[in-house]
Amino acid sequence: MDTDKNPVPDSVAPMENKDDADSFTKVKSKKSQKRKREQDGASMDTDEPVASKRPQFPPISGDKLRGSDEMRKIPVPAHRYTPLKDNWLKIFTPIVENLQLQVRFNLKTRNVEIKTCKETQDITSLQRAADFVKAFVLGFQVEDALALIRLDELFLESFDVTDVKPLKGDHLSRAIGRIAGKGGKTKFTIENVTKTRIVLADTKVHVLGSFQNIKMARTAICNLILGSPPSKVYGNIRVVASRTAERF
């Protein structure tokens, strides 16, 4: 009879279901993980901060701060040889006596070479001296360029007339003439109002002064290049100068 076949016990089915349930792992939702992290962060924030001691370092000596000797080379164009020779003592004295640097004019390479030495105390002296010589080479008077050594807030900016507006021929000459004015009147007026110094060298314009004053002078010069009449430019820079004077 069929009843003699091996019967499957009923207890096996529940055991298989149990094994299948154990083989699956429950995946945690991202929300629960995020909530757990927030709770951990909140518990960490409640902890008292550990007071750390401020490190104390001894002051560095001038020899270690300076390192090896550095040098700056400023090329001198041919048309500035004679002014450099005439004013060499005025250039040499503040660089050597005040900044404790070494300076010489190399006749072979036509460069003014400035070098640090053991007596140099301030590491910024080399850059100041280089800016001073560069300003003189660009055409500024020694007395005006000397302010770059004495004051910290002075800068030197150069740009070309053709950078503002691409002009050629007579149009370029008239633009340069508008900047200078009759007998240099326009240039002197811009210098006095903005408290800057301006040098016109062919199509190059060099401005020496503080950042805010250079900005005012540059705006006035750009307006003259673009064709504004000098009277309108005078009025604009006087208004801006009076505003800055009231602000400070």
Side-chain angles (χ1 to χ4, degrees), residues 23-156:
S23 64
F24 290 103
T25 57
K26 188 177 180 181
V27 179
K28 295 181 180 180
S29 63
K30 292 184 178 180
K31 291 183 178 180
S32 61
Q33 292 178 359
K34 185 177 180 182
R35 193 179 299 113
K36 187 177 180 181
R37 285 199 300 269
E38 290 177 354
Q39 290 176 357
D40 294 342
S43 63
M44 289 175 65
D45 292 340
T46 55
D47 298 338
E48 294 181 359
V50 179
S52 59
K53 288 186 177 181
R54 197 172 187 179
Q56 299 289 335
F57 297 106
I60 301 176
S61 63
D63 297 335
K64 293 182 179 179
L65 191 64
R66 186 179 69 249
S68 59
D69 292 338
E70 295 184 13
M71 181 183 287
R72 296 282 191 278
K73 295 181 180 180
I74 300 95
V76 181
H79 68 279
R80 296 299 291 174
Y81 291 160
T82 304
L84 183 69
K85 184 179 178 181
D86 295 340
N87 297 279
W88 180 250
L89 196 60
K90 295 180 181 178
I91 297 170
F92 174 87
T93 305
I95 293 177
V96 175
E97 293 185 358
N98 298 342
L99 300 179
Q100 283 84 38
L101 296 169
Q102 295 177 350
V103 61
R104 72 173 183 179
F105 179 64
N106 195 327
L107 293 173
K108 291 183 178 179
T109 59
R110 300 291 186 180
N111 290 334
V112 175
E113 298 177 354
I114 306 171
K115 185 181 177 182
T116 58
C117 59
K118 293 181 179 180
E119 287 77 17
T120 307
Q121 300 294 329
D122 191 0
I123 57 175
T124 62
S125 300
L126 186 62
Q127 188 60 44
R128 287 190 180 190
D131 291 340
F132 165 56
V133 176
K134 184 181 178 182
F136 177 78
V137 168
L138 289 176
F140 292 96
Q141 296 292 326
V142 179
E143 292 76 13
D144 297 333
L146 199 60
L148 287 166
I149 293 178
R150 295 176 177 172
L151 302 176
D152 293 331
E153 301 296 328
L154 289 185
F155 304 96
L156 189 62

